[in-house]
Amino acid sequence: MVTYAERPWIKSYDVGMPTSVEIPEVPLHQFLKDTRVRIPNGTALITPANLPLLGRISHSITYEELDRQSDALAAALVDIGLKKSDRVAIVMPNSVAFVISFYGILKAGGVVAATNPTYPAERMAHQINDCGAEIVLTMTLFYDLVKEVQPRTKVQTVIAANIKEYLPPLAKLLFTIAKEKKEGHYLEDVKPGDYWFQDLLSRHDGKQANVQVLPDDLAIFQYTGGTTGVAKAAMSKHRALVANMLQTEGFLDLLDAPAEAHIFLGAIPFFHVYGLVVVVSTSVYRGCKVVLVPNPRDIDDVLGNIEVFRTTLFPGVPALYNAINNHPKVQNGEIDLSSLQLCLSGSAPLPDSTKAEFERFSGGSVREGFGMSEAPTATHVNPIYRENRPGSIGLPLPEMDMRIVSLEDDETDVPVGEVGELVMAGPNVMAGYHGMLEETRNVLREKDGARWLYTGDIARMDEDGYFYIVDRKKDMALIGGFNVYPTTVENAIAAHASVLEVGVAAIPHPEREGQEALKAWIVLKPGETLEANDVIEFLGDKLAPYEIPRRVSFIAELPKTAVGKTLRRELAQMEMEAR
């Protein structure tokens, strides 16, 4: 009988996949300095611009420039008054300024608290206030919003960067003339006490912050997606980020081409750990290029960057792959996606149909994985070359221990193959939730000398160590006395040829007080029509009768987190508000 303690997943690893990872006693930003020494003139970040008549052009910065400019920012932050362990908020999309800010804050001994720049004022104020940041780095586009929320926070200083500063020269000129004011980027001057990003870099060029940063110092506050309520700040140390980056690197290192030859598509938001670890940190370690995509919802821009810059690595989410699959230029073969070698999918379940379609259009491999803000991102992934099992999140990364525990007592390991809550231990697990001792105690528990993270995910493991997420524990519905998992229902509906996306959630039964009913919200593909009865009939031979939602709505768009998770809580709230 296989046990979890045996780590049966190791025997399913690709040949050459490391079974352990040596974690050096260094802070995360040490790898940027190492890469600068190794390839100072290597391209680090590429900022594209699409101009009329000229097409897609770009401006890039090297690893030497990235390290030097983040050194300058670190020195500036210390001069402004940043003290070790102070939190600093970043309110920026994917950009050169974001990456410089990230490494500059770490080098100054600060803790990065990155926030979705598109948040409304209330949510932004909550996160900035919760982390206690006194300094915010933002783009001019969001400067007024940050100043609006500032009185509700501890913020003393705002540093403003303009997106145009790292555009190609001609694009910068045209942007200044035609778009800067029109699109809200123009800022005549910062308020007293605030600073221009570029001024700080210029004034402190050649300087470094004299701060000793240790592996056990905090590095980031990552706010959870808030799918079940108020977002919590998962605190991770440099050691955890270094560990997770090297765990991920052990997987990527199996690719045939040299590390420095690969080009990441930087479309996944950097304000989330998925982008921060898998794209930013890993590319810096490897010396890869990253093509920056500030708005992944602009599918035309995403596709143009893949085609022109011949990107090879594409970490994404199912919603993004699905949008590409359904883009007319992809379907008619106008767009060349053949440069893509490996695509990683996370943050939400990947339907088999989405994976198969994307692989057919691109010729590349899509590998589903799994991760959490609390880990701080990647924990599982399917092999690159060996079996990729349908519906599986894959195998645990090196140095990870996994168990599936009983939903009844949260303690007893269930037999292999049975469902329970996924719990994990490893060097990448967070330190805890900021300011939330009770929540931390609920999810981090000591056993047998290890610190186990209770994920809240219902899962199972097969005999070969492949893991399968059944659903979120909090999303499980009780229908007619039976446990129903919305993800299972969503996957069945997603197989319909007319369905673009679907979300399923439990709602209060409209006729039976105290009971739950299941409802599906469906986004149809362009030009398609479907009735609720068509959906129910389609599911007749695919699900048990109690699993079939008898209530179906067709909507234009599903509510989602920034990294593509469907917000089932908001779907249920929509239903309540409509009554």
Side-chain angles (χ1 to χ4, degrees), residues 8-19:
W9 48 86
I10 288 178
K11 71 177 184 291
S12 298
Y13 277 180
D14 280 320
V15 175
M17 177 76 170
T19 58

Side-chain angles (χ1 to χ4, degrees), residues 281-314:
S281 302
T282 305
S283 65
V284 165
Y285 176 84
R286 294 169 64 82
C288 299
K289 304 176 181 70
V290 179
V291 178
L292 298 165
V293 179
N295 179 17
R297 291 178 178 268
D298 185 345
I299 304 302
D300 287 326
D301 188 50
V302 171
L303 292 173
N305 287 324
I306 293 172
E307 186 171 46
V308 170
F309 298 102
R310 310 300 294 161
T311 56
T312 60
L313 301 177
F314 180 7

Side-chain angles (χ1 to χ4, degrees), residues 251-263:
F251 169 76
L252 294 177
D253 200 41
L254 299 174
L255 294 168
D256 293 335
E260 294 161 18
H262 281 288
I263 305 172

Side-chain angles (χ1 to χ4, degrees), residues 467-486:
F467 282 75
Y468 304 78
I469 298 296
V470 177
D471 223 315
R472 287 291 294 169
K473 195 174 178 180
K474 292 182 179 180
D475 287 339
M476 185 176 69
L478 187 64
I479 308 295
F482 295 96
N483 289 339
V484 176
Y485 304 107

Side-chain angles (χ1 to χ4, degrees), residues 479-480 482 484 489 518 536 539-550:
I479 308 295
F482 295 96
V484 176
V489 182
L518 210 60
I536 294 170
L539 298 174
D541 61 352
K542 296 173 177 61
L543 297 172
Y546 59 84
E547 292 178 306
I548 298 175
R550 306 296 168 175

Side-chain angles (χ1 to χ4, degrees), residues 18 126 179 196 200 309 318 348-349 374 384 387 401 430 492 496 507 536:
H126 166 74
K179 290 186 175 183
W196 286 105
L200 291 178
F309 298 102
E374 293 87 347
I384 297 177
E387 187 178 1
D401 279 301
M430 69 170 181
H496 194 290
I507 60 172
I536 294 170

Side-chain angles (χ1 to χ4, degrees), residues 31-219:
F31 298 106
L32 174 55
K33 295 196 171 295
D34 293 345
T35 300
R36 174 187 180 174
V37 171
R38 190 175 79 249
I39 49 167
N41 297 318
T43 298
L45 304 170
I46 298 171
T47 303
N50 194 24
L51 300 182
L53 302 179
L54 294 177
R56 204 164 293 267
I57 60 175
S58 66
H59 176 266
S60 62
I61 72 166
T62 65
Y63 277 102
E64 192 277 333
E65 291 171 316
L66 177 58
D67 190 46
R68 191 185 76 240
Q69 291 185 37
S70 55
D71 275 347
L73 180 62
L77 291 171
V78 171
D79 281 356
I80 288 170
L82 180 71
K83 300 179 294 296
K84 189 174 178 181
S85 299
D86 282 354
R87 272 77 73 185
V88 181
I90 302 177
V91 183
M92 296 181 182
N94 293 7
S95 57
V96 174
F98 185 107
V99 181
I100 292 171
S101 298
F102 174 62
Y103 281 105
I105 294 166
L106 295 183
K107 289 176 177 181
V111 181
V112 173
T115 295
N116 184 342
T118 65
Y119 272 167
E122 185 177 344
R123 291 186 71 181
M124 185 175 293
H126 166 74
Q127 289 193 4
I128 293 175
N129 189 53
D130 181 73
C131 74
E134 295 184 8
I135 299 174
V136 176
L137 292 112
T138 188
M139 286 293 181
T140 54
L141 181 63
F142 309 106
Y143 181 81
D144 288 343
L145 178 60
V146 172
K147 297 302 288 185
E148 177 189 337
V149 306
Q150 184 174 353
R152 290 178 266 168
T153 70
K154 298 177 182 178
V155 173
Q156 301 296 315
T157 303
V158 181
I159 300 169
N162 194 315
I163 193 74
K164 72 180 183 181
E165 295 300 336
Y166 293 96
L167 289 175
L170 181 56
K172 180 178 178 179
L173 175 63
L174 294 176
F175 180 86
T176 302
I177 296 170
K179 290 186 175 183
E180 188 173 14
K181 286 187 177 181
K182 181 181 178 182
E183 296 184 358
H185 295 268
Y186 179 75
L187 182 63
E188 185 173 357
D189 202 359
V190 293
K191 302 292 184 183
D194 294 342
Y195 298 89
W196 286 105
F197 187 81
Q198 292 299 324
D199 285 351
L200 291 178
L201 296 189
S202 297
R203 276 188 246 157
H204 294 81
D205 188 30
K207 299 179 181 177
Q208 296 184 6
N210 186 22
V211 180
Q212 184 182 22
V213 182
L214 303 174
D216 283 322
D217 289 334
L218 286 177

